[in-house]
Amino acid sequence: MTPMLAMLVLAAVCWFMRILFVVVIPANRLPDPVRTALQYLAPSVLAALVAVELANATSDTDPVGAAVMVGAILAAAVIARRTGSMALAIAAGATGALVVDLLLV
Amino acid sequence: LYGAALEPWFRDQPRWFRLLAPAYIQDQTYLSTVERPAYRGAQFRRYWWWLGSTLLVVWTGSVVLGMTVGPLLPDLPHLGLVGTALFVAMLTPRLVTRPDVAAAGGAGLAALVVQAVAPELAILAGTAVGVVCAVLTRSAARAS
């Protein structure tokens, strides 16, 4: 299989997965418990992403670096909660990364 | 699953839109759309095309920019923490009800456990456990 054909097949599969519950089996035909569960998809996905990303980021650093990164993410959470500002929360994460990579090396 | 969650926005749209527009479904478009429950019909179509197309341009442009500028920067192996902070900023405003908190707590813990055993399944398994925790918490609250 050529790389181009592989990419086209992958694109077709991705597209089909996206239209599956929109066109093929519309979600309004799903059972009520399933539709109820879908409203909790966002916090679940985001929390799983945060946990995995943070675990990966801290896995190759010393305890001090890991503590700085966890602290930066906690600070981002507090900032986002208090101010609602995504930019400030991202700045907290960037600060943590820069401290670990530039000051603690 | 994102398609299923977004189906109400696509339900009354023309068939061409329902076939083509889901190509833009991904984390960012899903998370932005669920914050706009009132968007329907032509308003949603406009929003969706602008959101998806802008994201496509910014995403691709950022990749090009990163590959161009990256070699000029000092080694910053933990810059990915910026992305984690972004996810945190998207998560915290959603922790409103007890099931929301149960979803996040369950998903985070499960993802960490699965990460140690099968890293490629961590996010998927964490998400599934989070949803189950939320549904159980909601059921328990209604029963009491």
Side-chain angles (χ1 to χ4, degrees):
Chain A
M1 184 183 285
T2 65
M4 181 57 75
L5 184 58
M7 281 194 290
L8 289 174
V9 170
L10 185 61
V13 171
C14 286
W15 173 73
F16 180 76
M17 293 298 288
R18 281 168 166 76
I19 67 164
L20 180 63
F21 290 116
V22 173
V23 177
V24 183
I25 312 167
N28 60 349
R29 292 188 203 156
L30 295 173
D32 279 345
V34 175
R35 280 189 285 158
T36 300
L38 286 174
Q39 67 184 288
Y40 301 112
L41 194 58
S44 300
V45 170
L46 287 166
L49 282 166
V50 168
V52 169
E53 294 289 321
L54 193 56
N56 285 337
T58 56
S59 64
D60 63 343
T61 53
D62 57 74
V64 176
V68 169
M69 285 191 278
V70 171
I73 291 303
L74 287 175
V78 171
I79 289 168
R81 189 80 184 183
R82 291 266 173 96
T83 69
S85 169
M86 202 169 276
L88 287 176
I90 290 171
T95 303
L98 292 175
V99 167
V100 172
D101 288 341
L102 298 179
L103 299 181
L104 297 181
V105 288
Chain B
L1 283 177
Y2 284 162
L6 291 177
E7 190 273 338
W9 282 266
F10 287 90
R11 191 174 301 160
D12 298 321
Q13 301 291 350
R15 190 165 184 80
W16 64 267
F17 185 83
R18 291 165 60 216
L19 283 170
L20 295 177
Y24 277 152
I25 292 176
Q26 56 171 299
D27 297 329
Q28 294 86 348
T29 52
Y30 163 73
L31 291 166
S32 297
T33 300
V34 294
E35 290 296 311
R36 291 159 179 83
Y39 282 20
R40 290 293 191 272
Q43 185 185 28
F44 174 66
R45 288 200 296 277
R46 279 194 301 276
Y47 174 74
W48 186 256
W49 287 129
W50 274 110
L51 175 66
S53 302
T54 304
L55 187 65
L56 181 68
V57 170
V58 171
W59 189 297
T60 312
S62 300
V63 171
V64 173
L65 183 68
M67 292 182 75
T68 308
V69 177
L72 305 174
L73 296 175
D75 192 24
L76 299 168
H78 298 101
L79 202 56
L81 205 62
V82 173
T84 311
L86 170 66
F87 290 135
V88 165
M90 295 167 95
L91 170 64
T92 46
R94 292 169 197 280
L95 302 180
V96 178
T97 65
R98 193 173 288 184
D100 294 332
V101 176
L109 286 175
L112 287 176
V113 171
V114 177
Q115 168 90 341
V117 188
E120 67 279 5
L121 295 176
I123 293 171
L124 194 61
T127 301
V129 171
V131 169
V132 170
C133 287
V135 170
L136 292 176
T137 305
R138 177 188 161 113
S139 300
R142 292 200 163 187
S144 63

